[in-house]
Amino acid sequence: MASKLQLKTNYEPDAKFEAYFTGQRVEVTNDGSAVLCECRDSVGIVSLETGQVTGRITCEEDEVVCLSLSPNNKTVAVALKSTSVQQYQWPSLELVRSFRSYHRGPVTTMAWDASSTLLVTGAADSSARIWDLEQKFCTHSLKGASGVFGVVLFHPDLLKLPRVYGSAGNNIHLWNLAAGSSELHATLNGHHAAVTDLSLTHDQKHMLSVGLDRVIILWDLTTMSCKKVVPVFESLSGLVLQHPERTAFPGAKTDDDHIYAMVVGDKGVPAVWQVDTGREVWKASTPVVPPPEDQEGGVTLIKQLTDVPALDSVLMTTFDHSITLAKTSSLSIWKQLAGYNEQILDAVFVGPKDSYLAVATNSSQLRIYDSANLSCHLLQGHTALILAVARHPTHCNIFATSSQDTTARLWYLRDEDGTAECIGIAVGHTSGVGSIALSSGYMVTGSRDTCLKRWKIKSVEDTLSKKEDMSLTSLVCSNTEKAHDKDINYVCVSVNGKLIASASQDKTAKVWSGDNLSLLGVLQGHRRGLWCCEFSPSDEILATASADATIKLWTLSDFNNVATLEGHGVSVLKLAWISSGQQILSTGSDGLLKLWTARSRLCVATFDGHDDRTWALAVSGVGPDGGTDEDAQVVFTGGEDARLVRWKDVTQEERDTAQKEAEKQASGEQTLANLIKDKKWTRALGIAIKLGRPLHALKVVRSILDESPDQLPKVVVTLRRDQRDALLDYAVKWNSTTKSCREAQNVLNVVLQNQTPEELEEMQGWQSSLEGLLPYTQRHLKRVSALYQSAGILRYLAASISLGFVDTKQAALPPLDDLSFLQSISQSTKAIKPEEIKVEDEEDEDGDEDEDEDEKDKVSSSSSTPTKNKVKPPRPPPPTLARNSTPSQMYGTLSAKSSPSSVGGTTPGKKIIAPPPPSARELFPQEQDVPVHGPPKPPRSPALTKVHPHPSPSSPGGSVALKRKDRRAPAPPQAATPRSGRTSPTDTINSDSLSVSSFGAQSQTVQGQEGLARNPSMSKSEAGEWQRKKGPAPPRPVPQKRALKKMPMRLVQQELQDIEIKQTELERQGVLLETAIRKRTESTSNNPQDEVANAPNSGPNSIEVEDMILQLFELVNEKNELFRRQTELMYLKREKRLEEEYVELEYQIRCLMLKPPGEKSSEDTAQEEDLIARLVKVVEQRDEIINCLELDRLREAQEDESIATHMMQYQEKHIDGNENGNSVVEPPKKKKTLKLPKKKKKKKEKKDKKGAKGDADKDIDEMEAKEQKKKKKKKKWLF
């Protein structure tokens, strides 16, 4: 059974579920298909049907603080923390424009009008502005509010009543809009805490408001007064009014005139109120989100309530970033989405056929995901973080969890809706329970208190098998053991339930008896703490994973280590057995998932899906409903990056694909062979190109050229354009070798003859193909030219040897344009055997030539003139001579050898070949041991004479005269010394010349002899006999990317966090000072007599109050400085990103510009234009940032000057008043009043020291800036 099992080889990520909601508010489309969520520096678009992220808007490393979707669902407005607003199209998500909101603080709320033309923005600086996004300008600036804006909205019918409503702090403001101006119409005071939501009734006569002061207020918009105050005794963050034409809330009616509102308070319980009567008509029995134990008063669990008419539901967002949908008629939850998991600590499949996934996150709520669409349900029960999850081996609907609250719980899953109920609780540990495991009849838990506990669950299993109603049961602990010296990180149970294994931080793993927790063995060998251990489902093997980056396999019979799997570079956190115990899946701290084979101990594959530690690993098909074929088909992993990845086994798919491809290739090759046999060249070549087989295409072209060369043009012309392009690419490869250059040149010839230049330009990669063809074609041309000339010399020699005299007509060299002779030579060379002609320098297997082209040209040019250097046939071996032979007996006279008349019976014109000269060893064998004082005179060699075919006038009888060559004679040979025993260079030359058996080799040897004769110490490679291969041409230079100075983003982020903390502290101090000032002034106003009596020390003009006011001014100034620094850092981050993008674009443009104009394709040109356009856009964005920084600098300077002036005037006024009243009170110290200008002066001096270059870039005329500001005072344009 196990031998037939196919091992896994590959997994692919099927889906990734990342964090998509980390803010507080969301926007739902009109059709209810998608929801837009705030998520750090992006906007996540999530499908409500599948729960998957379908898109994302990235906002350039700037945090998203607010978003709003237009009523016509065509535009999305996104407000960023840097006070800028971006406009995107929906659903294409294309950026339309980005503009500054001119708020001094971040935008906190936005709203559209009914026509989707106007957008109102409310910010933290107590200001609101209205923008016309079609005309691109600011229409109104709403003033008069004090505090942070929480809600803004337009009147539903602006043509009837142009009014804007907004809440800032505890007050509600109403502005009437007019052409070019706005008027604060009314201010409604009634709330004692921040107002969180506003809503107009459907008759537009009343308005409802809720806040953190635990009341609902009904306002009459006709009289601008409070009509009803309804106490709900809970802090509220939103409300939903019942529409008279839609489904009614539970307990409400649609046929009456009452006003019904649904709210959810800080206890998380939905309720419906009849606001006009102040009566609660319905309240849910269970909370939507139970409050945590550490919740403080006034903290709302529900952050937003939104009516979704398309789904007939109410959408709620919670404090833990989850999205809940409840039906309007019953307010029952029918869908939940987890927008942010923070840290995923453990996961396990539960339910029949692994239909659900239980996930433990950094939360007290357990999340039950649907494996198909990833919709989730939240389970409440634990009061602290859930650390581990485990499933029952036989009951798929039973699973258990362990928590930081020192308890463990047993759960039962309902199949119909995916919810679960707690059926058992185990209490007994004194510290957090970090691991848990289930078996038939008992449950095992391991805690940080180093104890191992065994719990009985037999009664619970019996009750479930009888299908009786379950109630919460307290589990009984049967055994407790102090198992380890440190924390217990993991426990597991064997398949039969007889063994229990525990892994601890003390670097050991222990095996226990499943009946009574008796110790059976200790596994020691890891160098660091253990994170996981698992029993093999088929063998008596235990696998352990440790922080020392290894996985060890242990036998359960003798508890020895039998194997160590090394491959992780960091800690191994989790492992699981798959493929019936033959393979292992493991996860590590680096976010990698590895697949191992236990028998070979090798890592089969590595998969990257996470950016941080991967704690959770859930494998499907290993429970009671899983089979061998379904083992590990789906794998889920999760980690600290809040990402849940679903992996799919694609092993069988890859095998099926490979098998189909092999069958297709085999069928194609058989068809190709049949077509070649039938000489159907067109179809054969088309199939070879379709299969992507250059070698088969080469065989087809070679067969065409060998059998019917005239058919090649017809075959190539009938091919499609893409097939011709592929054939041309093949020809480029064929042309690089000598063996296939003939086919490549013929294909190229056909293509050039049958294609116009315009058609050639349309071919893809024509320029690169031409670059590959030119160098090899030139090399082939030189080689063929040299071969052609050599063949002519051979023909001449053949004619000269066969005749007694040289006939110039028959021995003349053939013309260079005699192609028929060249073809005959190439065909005749195929019949010559390798033994007949011995060539020293042959071509390599790759077709590259080793011989030097210049040397070939020299040999060819010297061989083309037969009168200067006549080639002689090979010499016979030297005759054997006696010791007493004289030189005359060996050589004879020179006239006897050179004159044709000295030899009787010989035909005039024939040359008698002289015997070769003997070597020095043969001439003087007895003198080899005697040192030679002077080199002997060498005998004359026949190679030093010239034979003239025509008689010389000076020679009598028309005999041929012998002359020496017009060059210096070679150096005489030197006899070898007895010590060296070496031969002379002349002997070496003679012996080498005797071994030449062909013309090409002989000519090269003669030239080598000449070179060596001139310089006996010269090697063969220096003499030109051996030459190096020519290397490839140097590559085209690649431009260097400009290096940028790295910006410490971590430090910038840390500074931003510090600024936020300081701002919060300054706000707290400001509230305390403001409260103290108000108490002082109110107390004196209530007791005017005390004020008169204690005038110097009490009242609004007292010294204490003045000090407080000055301190408040200083706090405001410090907060402004922090906000300015925060804005500057935001701009610096954006500028850094733009600089990086600029460098990358510049590098790509330079790479494209380096291409020659003839090689550029239309795609390259279009890409270059696109890159230049993007580069210009980046420069414009950077200029916009610089302009914004400069405007901020000017505005800050004016503000500082104005604040300093007011403070000086305030001090002078109160000092004069005290002097006129003869007061003894001393004026305030000038140190406090001059503190702010001193800081500014010091900062200005520091800026001046940075360099004149940076100041010169920021130096502008302030007068021109003021004039421009006056011109734009009426209308503020975005661009």
Side-chain angles (χ1 to χ4, degrees):
M1 188 72 179
S3 60
K4 297 181 180 179
L5 181 66
Q6 294 182 350
L7 300 181
K8 315 294 181 184
T9 58
N10 192 14
Y11 282 89
E12 289 183 356
D14 186 30
K16 291 185 179 181
F17 304 92
E18 302 183 69
Y20 54 83
F21 178 42
T22 58
Q24 296 183 355
R25 302 184 66 85
V26 299
E27 291 286 338
V28 187
T29 57
N30 291 340
D31 56 359
S33 61
V35 57
L36 286 75
C37 312
E38 303 172 1
C39 182
R40 296 191 186 98
D41 60 347
S42 63
V43 177
I45 293 93
V46 185
S47 173
L48 287 177
E49 181 179 359
T50 62
Q52 298 183 7
V53 179
T54 59
R56 193 175 290 271
I57 300 175
T58 305
C59 300
E60 301 178 356
E61 300 181 359
D62 202 350
E63 185 178 353
V64 177
V65 294
C66 186
L67 65 91
S68 182
L69 180 63
S70 62
N72 59 1
N73 276 197
K74 292 184 178 180
T75 306
V76 179
V78 180
L80 306 179
K81 196 171 183 178
S82 60
T83 70
S84 62
V85 180
Q86 294 181 351
Q87 180 182 352
Y88 293 88
Q89 288 185 355
W90 177 263
S92 63
L93 305 182
E94 181 182 354
L95 178 63
V96 179
R97 64 179 59 90
S98 177
F99 59 93
R100 287 205 63 191
S101 62
Y102 293 97
H103 289 289
R104 298 181 183 177
V107 178
T108 56
T109 180
M110 293 189 297
W112 292 84
D113 72 327
S115 63
S116 301
T117 303
L118 301 179
L119 177 70
V120 58
T121 59
D125 60 351
S126 305
S127 65
R129 285 181 170 85
I130 300 176
W131 308 87
D132 188 341
L133 296 185
E134 291 186 357
Q135 302 297 328
K136 307 176 185 178
F137 66 93
C138 177
T139 61
H140 299 82
S141 180
L142 308 180
K143 299 180 180 180
S146 177
V148 178
F149 271 86
V151 187
V152 289
L153 72 155
F154 284 99
H155 192 275
D157 191 357
L158 289 180
L159 296 178
K160 182 179 179 181
L161 182 60
R163 181 174 292 175
V164 177
Y165 307 89
S167 66
N170 307 342
N171 302 323
I172 303 173
H173 305 277
L174 288 78
W175 288 275
N176 288 336
L177 305 180
S181 63
S182 59
E183 176 188 359
L184 181 61
H185 179 66
T187 299
L188 306 180
N189 301 321
H191 286 280
H192 299 283
V195 180
T196 56
D197 199 4
L198 300 175
S199 181
L200 294 176
T201 59
H202 304 290
D203 58 2
Q204 302 174 7
K205 296 181 179 179
H206 299 84
M207 181 176 64
L208 275 73
S209 62
V210 296
L212 301 180
D213 54 356
R214 305 187 177 191
V215 295
I216 304 175
I217 299 180
L218 178 64
W219 303 91
D220 189 350
L221 298 180
T222 305
T223 61
M224 298 297 170
S225 61
C226 176
K227 188 175 182 181
K228 186 72 175 179
V229 177
V230 181
V232 296
F233 306 106
E234 290 183 88
S235 298
L236 305 176
S237 60
L239 80 160
V240 176
L241 289 179
Q242 176 179 305
H243 197 280
E245 298 179 357
R246 298 176 189 165
T247 306
F249 293 129
K253 298 179 181 180
T254 58
D255 54 353
D256 56 10
D257 296 334
H258 293 291
I259 301 174
Y260 295 95
M262 193 274 285
V263 295
V264 181
D266 52 14
K267 297 180 181 179
V269 180
V272 179
W273 290 82
Q274 196 177 76
V275 182
D276 53 348
T277 61
R279 185 169 60 92
E280 185 181 34
V281 297
W282 181 85
K283 189 173 184 179
S285 57
T286 58
V288 178
V289 182
E293 288 185 348
D294 55 351
Q295 179 188 4
E296 300 178 358
V299 177
T300 58
L301 301 180
I302 304 297
K303 298 299 182 181
Q304 178 187 4
L305 289 176
T306 303
D307 186 19
V308 186
L311 301 177
D312 194 16
S313 303
V314 177
L315 183 142
M316 295 173 279
T317 61
T318 63
F319 74 100
D320 58 352
H321 311 292
S322 62
I323 302 172
T324 304
L325 289 171
K327 289 294 182 182
T328 306
S329 58
S330 60
L331 292 180
S332 60
I333 298 173
W334 63 275
K335 196 173 189 64
Q336 288 179 316
L337 299 176
Y340 182 49
N341 291 321
E342 196 169 356
Q343 292 183 4
I344 300 176
L345 303 179
D346 201 359
V348 67
F349 281 96
V350 294
K353 297 183 180 180
D354 297 336
S355 56
Y356 295 95
L357 183 72
V359 179
T361 63
N362 195 13
S363 172
S364 61
Q365 301 174 350
L366 182 67
R367 309 194 176 192
I368 306 297
Y369 283 92
D370 191 339
S371 301
N373 55 18
L374 264 272
S375 62
C376 72
H377 296 276
L378 305 180
L379 298 184
Q380 300 294 332
H382 288 286
T383 57
L385 303 183
I386 299 176
L387 300 178
V389 188
R391 67 178 296 171
H392 199 278
T394 57
H395 296 276
C396 59
N397 286 18
I398 298 178
F399 62 96
T401 58
S402 62
S403 172
Q404 188 70 28
D405 59 2
T406 71
T407 64
R409 288 178 178 265
L410 198 65
W411 304 83
Y412 178 75
L413 179 71
R414 300 186 183 93
D415 299 338
E416 58 273 6
D417 56 357
T419 59
E421 62 175 338
C422 183
I423 58 177
I425 182 172
V427 181
H429 285 284
T430 60
S431 184
V433 184
S435 57
I436 191 169
L438 287 174
S439 183
S440 298
Y442 65 90
M443 179 178 70
V444 182
T445 56
S447 172
R448 294 179 179 175
D449 58 7
T450 69
C451 291
L452 199 66
K453 289 182 178 290
R454 184 181 182 274
W455 309 83
K456 296 180 180 179
I457 60 171
K458 184 66 176 177
S459 59
V460 178
E461 295 175 351
D462 295 340
T463 304
L464 290 176
S465 61
K466 296 177 182 179
K467 298 183 180 180
E468 298 179 357
D469 295 337
M470 284 295 302
S471 60
L472 184 61
T473 305
S474 296
L475 303 180
V476 179
C477 177
S478 60
N479 301 92
T480 301
E481 289 289 339
K482 187 180 184 303
H484 292 271
D485 297 332
K486 293 185 179 181
D487 299 352
I488 300 176
N489 293 330
Y490 200 85
V491 294
C492 63
V493 182
S494 61
V495 178
N496 55 11
K498 296 182 179 181
L499 298 177
I500 298 172
S502 61
S504 173
Q505 200 67 28
D506 61 359
K507 307 178 186 179
T508 63
K510 296 184 179 181
V511 181
W512 311 82
S513 173
D515 298 331
N516 52 12
L517 286 185
S518 60
L519 181 62
L520 302 178
V522 180
L523 310 179
Q524 296 179 349
H526 285 286
R527 299 187 303 272
R528 302 185 70 177
L530 277 67
W531 286 111
C532 184
C533 61
E534 287 290 346
F535 286 99
S536 173
S538 58
D539 300 325
E540 294 183 355
I541 298 293
L542 177 68
T544 58
S546 171
D548 60 3
T550 62
I551 300 173
K552 291 183 179 292
L553 304 182
W554 312 80
T555 58
L556 299 178
S557 57
D558 53 3
F559 304 108
N560 288 331
N561 180 22
V562 295
T564 301
L565 308 181
E566 297 181 353
H568 281 282
V570 291
S571 302
V572 185
L573 303 179
K574 196 69 177 290
L575 62 86
W577 290 90
I578 62 173
S579 303
S580 297
Q582 298 186 36
Q583 290 182 302
I584 297 175
L585 279 173
S586 63
T587 60
S589 298
D590 52 1
L592 299 179
L593 174 67
K594 287 183 177 291
L595 177 62
W596 307 82
T597 301
R599 185 175 299 275
S600 63
R601 308 174 188 178
L602 297 178
C603 178
V604 178
T606 302
F607 316 104
D608 189 4
H610 295 273
D611 299 330
D612 210 334
R613 297 182 181 90
T614 306
W615 294 103
L617 175 62
V619 180
S620 67
V622 296
D625 295 338
T628 304
D629 296 336
E630 299 179 357
D631 182 16
Q633 291 292 324
V634 178
V635 176
F636 274 91
T637 57
E640 292 187 3
D641 56 357
R643 183 184 302 166
L644 193 63
V645 183
R646 182 170 63 194
W647 303 86
K648 180 182 178 182
D649 179 23
V650 295
T651 302
Q652 190 61 36
E653 296 180 4
E654 290 183 349
R655 288 172 181 169
D656 295 342
T657 303
Q659 184 177 359
K660 292 180 181 179
E661 186 67 22
E663 293 176 356
K664 184 179 179 181
Q665 292 289 343
S667 176
E669 291 178 0
Q670 184 62 39
T671 305
L672 181 61
N674 296 336
L675 292 174
I676 293 175
K677 184 177 180 181
D678 297 339
K679 298 183 179 181
K680 297 180 180 179
W681 311 118
T682 304
R683 289 187 58 191
L685 188 58
I687 291 177
I689 294 174
K690 181 179 179 181
L691 295 176
R693 299 297 181 90
L695 182 59
H696 290 73
L698 177 62
K699 291 180 180 179
V700 174
V701 175
R702 185 172 294 169
S703 300
I704 295 174
L705 293 177
D706 292 341
E707 297 184 9
S708 54
D710 299 337
Q711 296 295 325
L712 184 61
K714 299 179 181 179
V715 173
V716 175
V717 170
T718 55
L719 296 176
R720 300 192 307 269
R721 174 174 294 179
D722 57 339
Q723 293 178 340
R724 287 199 298 269
D725 295 345
L727 183 61
L728 187 61
D729 293 338
Y730 294 164
V732 174
K733 298 178 181 178
W734 301 341
N735 194 52
S736 61
T737 60
T738 307
K739 296 179 181 179
S740 57
C741 66
R742 177 178 68 117
E743 292 78 10
Q745 293 297 326
N746 280 276
V747 170
L748 181 62
N749 186 22
V750 173
V751 172
L752 292 177
Q753 287 182 356
N754 294 275
Q755 298 289 332
T756 62
E758 291 77 11
E759 293 175 350
L760 291 176
E761 289 180 357
E762 295 177 359
M763 289 186 178
Q764 296 181 357
W766 169 251
Q767 291 83 0
S768 59
S769 300
L770 186 60
E771 289 180 358
L773 286 170
L774 283 176
Y776 288 103
T777 302
Q778 293 175 357
R779 181 180 295 184
H780 296 324
L781 178 60
K782 290 182 179 180
R783 181 179 55 82
V784 172
S785 300
L787 179 62
Y788 185 68
Q789 292 180 6
S790 301
I793 295 172
L794 288 175
R795 184 175 179 182
Y796 169 79
L797 291 177
S800 301
I801 293 172
S802 61
L803 300 177
F805 60 93
V806 178
D807 189 357
T808 56
K809 294 182 178 180
Q810 295 183 1
L813 290 176
L816 295 179
D817 56 352
D818 191 357
L819 298 179
S820 61
F821 176 73
L822 182 60
Q823 293 178 357
S824 64
I825 290 297
S826 62
Q827 293 177 1
S828 62
T829 54
K830 297 181 179 179
I832 298 176
K833 296 182 180 180
E835 295 81 2
E836 298 177 0
I837 299 177
K838 182 178 179 181
V839 181
E840 292 183 2
D841 297 331
E842 297 179 350
E843 296 177 352
D844 296 334
E845 294 179 0
D846 297 336
D848 296 335
E849 299 175 359
D850 294 335
E851 59 186 0
D852 187 56
E853 300 293 344
D854 298 336
E855 192 68 27
K856 283 186 176 183
D857 296 339
K858 292 179 181 180
V859 174
S860 302
S861 61
S862 62
S863 302
S864 61
T865 309
T867 59
K868 292 183 180 180
N869 188 11
K870 186 172 180 179
V871 180
K872 297 173 287 298
R875 296 175 179 176
T880 304
L881 301 176
R883 292 176 57 88
N884 55 359
S885 299
T886 61
S888 62
Q889 292 176 354
M890 289 185 293
Y891 292 96
T893 60
L894 181 61
S895 59
K897 296 178 182 179
S898 60
S899 175
S901 59
S902 63
V903 182
T906 57
T907 306
K910 286 189 177 181
K911 180 182 179 182
I912 299 176
I913 301 174
S919 62
R921 293 178 181 273
E922 294 175 350
L923 290 175
F924 308 102
Q926 68 280 4
E927 299 179 2
Q928 295 299 318
D929 298 332
V930 180
V932 180
H933 298 284
K937 187 176 181 179
R940 181 177 295 177
S941 176
L944 301 179
T945 60
K946 292 185 179 180
V947 179
H948 296 271
H950 303 286
S952 175
S954 61
S955 59
S959 60
V960 180
L962 299 177
K963 296 182 180 180
R964 289 181 177 271
K965 288 188 176 181
D966 299 334
R967 63 179 177 83
R968 183 177 298 178
Q974 296 180 1
T977 61
R979 293 182 180 180
S980 62
R982 299 176 184 175
T983 59
S984 62
T986 309
D987 296 336
T988 305
I989 296 170
N990 294 333
S991 62
D992 291 342
S993 62
L994 293 175
S995 64
V996 180
S997 59
S998 64
F999 168 74
Q1002 184 177 358
S1003 62
Q1004 292 180 3
T1005 306
V1006 171
Q1007 292 185 1
Q1009 292 172 2
E1010 293 176 0
L1012 291 174
R1014 295 190 187 99
N1015 188 3
S1017 63
M1018 187 184 299
S1019 62
K1020 292 186 177 182
S1021 61
E1022 294 176 351
E1025 186 174 353
W1026 297 333
Q1027 297 292 335
R1028 294 182 180 178
K1029 293 183 180 180
K1030 291 185 176 180
R1036 187 170 55 207
V1038 179
Q1040 297 294 331
K1041 186 182 292 186
R1042 182 162 56 90
L1044 281 177
K1045 185 178 180 181
K1046 293 185 178 180
M1047 184 178 182
M1049 300 305 299
R1050 184 175 60 83
L1051 299 179
V1052 173
Q1053 193 67 26
Q1054 182 65 34
E1055 186 175 357
L1056 289 174
Q1057 295 177 2
D1058 295 342
I1059 289 175
E1060 291 183 358
I1061 295 173
K1062 291 180 181 178
Q1063 287 179 343
T1064 305
E1065 180 63 22
L1066 291 177
E1067 288 179 359
R1068 187 186 65 81
Q1069 295 179 7
V1071 171
L1072 295 177
L1073 283 174
E1074 186 178 0
T1075 305
I1077 293 171
R1078 288 184 179 180
K1079 287 182 180 180
R1080 295 288 183 183
T1081 54
E1082 289 177 359
S1083 61
T1084 54
S1085 61
N1086 294 331
N1087 300 319
Q1089 296 178 358
D1090 297 341
E1091 181 180 0
V1092 174
N1094 302 321
N1097 301 321
S1098 63
N1101 296 328
S1102 64
I1103 298 175
E1104 185 177 3
V1105 174
E1106 290 178 0
D1107 290 340
M1108 290 181 181
I1109 292 174
L1110 292 176
Q1111 292 178 12
L1112 185 61
F1113 275 129
E1114 291 178 0
L1115 290 178
V1116 172
N1117 293 334
E1118 291 181 8
K1119 187 177 179 182
N1120 289 338
E1121 288 292 332
L1122 291 175
F1123 179 73
R1124 293 169 184 174
R1125 178 58 180 168
Q1126 188 179 29
T1127 306
E1128 184 179 357
L1129 290 176
M1130 290 292 184
Y1131 280 123
L1132 287 177
K1133 289 174 63 177
R1134 290 187 60 187
E1135 186 177 5
K1136 180 64 177 177
R1137 186 194 60 79
L1138 291 175
E1139 287 182 359
E1140 294 175 354
E1141 186 177 357
Y1142 179 87
V1143 171
E1144 183 65 26
L1145 292 174
E1146 183 185 20
Y1147 173 72
Q1148 296 180 10
I1149 292 172
R1150 289 184 180 275
C1151 291
L1152 291 176
M1153 293 178 67
L1154 280 178
K1155 285 188 176 181
E1159 298 180 6
K1160 285 188 179 179
S1161 61
S1162 57
E1163 297 178 357
D1164 294 340
T1165 305
Q1167 184 183 4
E1168 185 176 354
E1169 294 177 356
D1170 182 44
L1171 291 175
I1172 292 175
R1174 289 171 56 189
L1175 188 68
V1176 172
K1177 186 176 180 181
V1178 168
V1179 172
E1180 292 177 352
Q1181 292 179 357
R1182 190 170 179 273
D1183 292 341
E1184 182 181 356
I1185 292 175
I1186 294 175
N1187 294 335
C1188 293
L1189 288 174
E1190 186 61 30
L1191 291 177
D1192 288 345
R1193 188 178 68 85
L1194 292 177
R1195 179 174 53 80
E1196 291 169 5
Q1198 294 176 0
E1199 289 178 356
D1200 295 340
E1201 183 180 357
S1202 175
I1203 291 173
T1205 304
H1206 282 82
M1207 291 180 66
M1208 294 294 294
Q1209 292 177 358
Y1210 179 80
Q1211 281 189 342
E1212 293 176 357
K1213 176 180 178 182
H1214 289 280
I1215 290 173
D1216 295 341
N1218 292 331
E1219 291 177 355
N1220 295 332
N1222 297 325
S1223 176
V1224 189
V1225 180
E1226 295 180 359
K1229 296 181 180 180
K1230 294 184 179 181
K1231 182 177 180 181
K1232 294 184 179 180
T1233 59
L1234 298 178
K1235 184 177 181 180
L1236 184 64
K1238 283 186 177 181
K1239 287 185 177 181
K1240 289 297 175 180
K1241 187 175 182 180
K1242 289 181 180 179
K1243 289 187 177 180
K1244 189 174 181 182
E1245 291 177 356
K1246 290 182 180 179
K1247 290 182 180 178
D1248 294 339
K1249 292 179 181 179
K1250 289 183 180 179
K1253 184 177 179 180
D1255 294 337
D1257 294 338
K1258 295 183 178 181
D1259 188 14
I1260 64 170
D1261 191 359
E1262 295 185 0
M1263 296 302 296
E1264 294 180 1
K1266 291 181 180 180
E1267 293 178 359
Q1268 293 178 0
K1269 191 172 182 181
K1270 289 180 180 180
K1271 293 180 181 179
K1272 295 183 178 181
K1273 191 172 183 180
K1274 293 184 179 181
K1275 187 178 295 185
K1276 295 183 179 179
W1277 297 88
L1278 301 183
F1279 305 99

